[in-house]
Amino acid sequence: MFEPNRTFKMMQLWRPLTSACFLGKVDMSMATQIYFLVQYGQEMERQDGSAQHAMFLATQLVLLCLLGTLAGIPSFSRSLITASIYCCSRREPMRPMEIQVR
């Protein structure tokens, strides 16, 4: 979990990364989030390239660390997935969102 005091004062710099990877308990919601992560993450990477996608994720993580500190949000993974879905939907706004495996 992301704890700003431990991250910045005690230099536990892995905390934002673990917060970005934590999806909660194993259930169908977790499976759906992993599907969205893979589906839309691959789409963004295919369109922009690996370096641009890595920069997008790094920028989102920094913004979420700053905003998460202010709002007290302990986990960023669902926010990163939502940001990926939002960016993909803004590129092609009239394309229907697929939620089932082809």
Side-chain angles (χ1 to χ4, degrees), residues 77-92:
S77 60
R78 294 177 193 257
S79 300
L80 282 173
I81 295 167
T82 302
S84 296
I85 292 171
Y86 178 76
C87 287
C88 286
S89 71
R90 296 305 302 157
R91 287 185 179 164
E92 299 179 41

Side-chain angles (χ1 to χ4, degrees), residues 9-101:
K9 290 181 182 176
M10 301 175 92
M11 298 303 291
Q12 296 178 354
L13 301 178
W14 64 86
R15 285 191 175 272
L17 296 175
T18 57
S19 177
C21 295
F22 180 71
L23 285 170
K25 63 182 180 177
V26 178
D27 58 359
M28 284 308 293
S29 175
M30 180 184 191
T32 304
Q33 293 295 320
I34 290 172
Y35 171 75
F36 285 147
L37 175 66
V38 170
Q39 180 72 20
Y40 292 102
Q42 284 179 347
E43 182 178 331
M44 287 181 68
E45 188 173 10
R46 191 175 331 113
Q47 290 179 356
D48 297 334
S50 298
Q52 185 70 20
H53 185 64
M55 182 59 78
F56 169 78
L57 291 175
T59 303
Q60 291 297 315
L61 189 60
V62 168
L63 289 172
L64 287 169
C65 282
L66 296 174
L67 296 174
T69 301
L70 297 174
I73 300 171
S75 178
F76 305 145
S77 60
R78 294 177 193 257
S79 300
L80 282 173
I81 295 167
T82 302
S84 296
I85 292 171
Y86 178 76
C87 287
C88 286
S89 71
R90 296 305 302 157
R91 287 185 179 164
E92 299 179 41
M94 301 308 289
R95 189 176 112 194
M97 183 175 165
E98 296 178 17
I99 59 171
Q100 294 180 352
V101 180

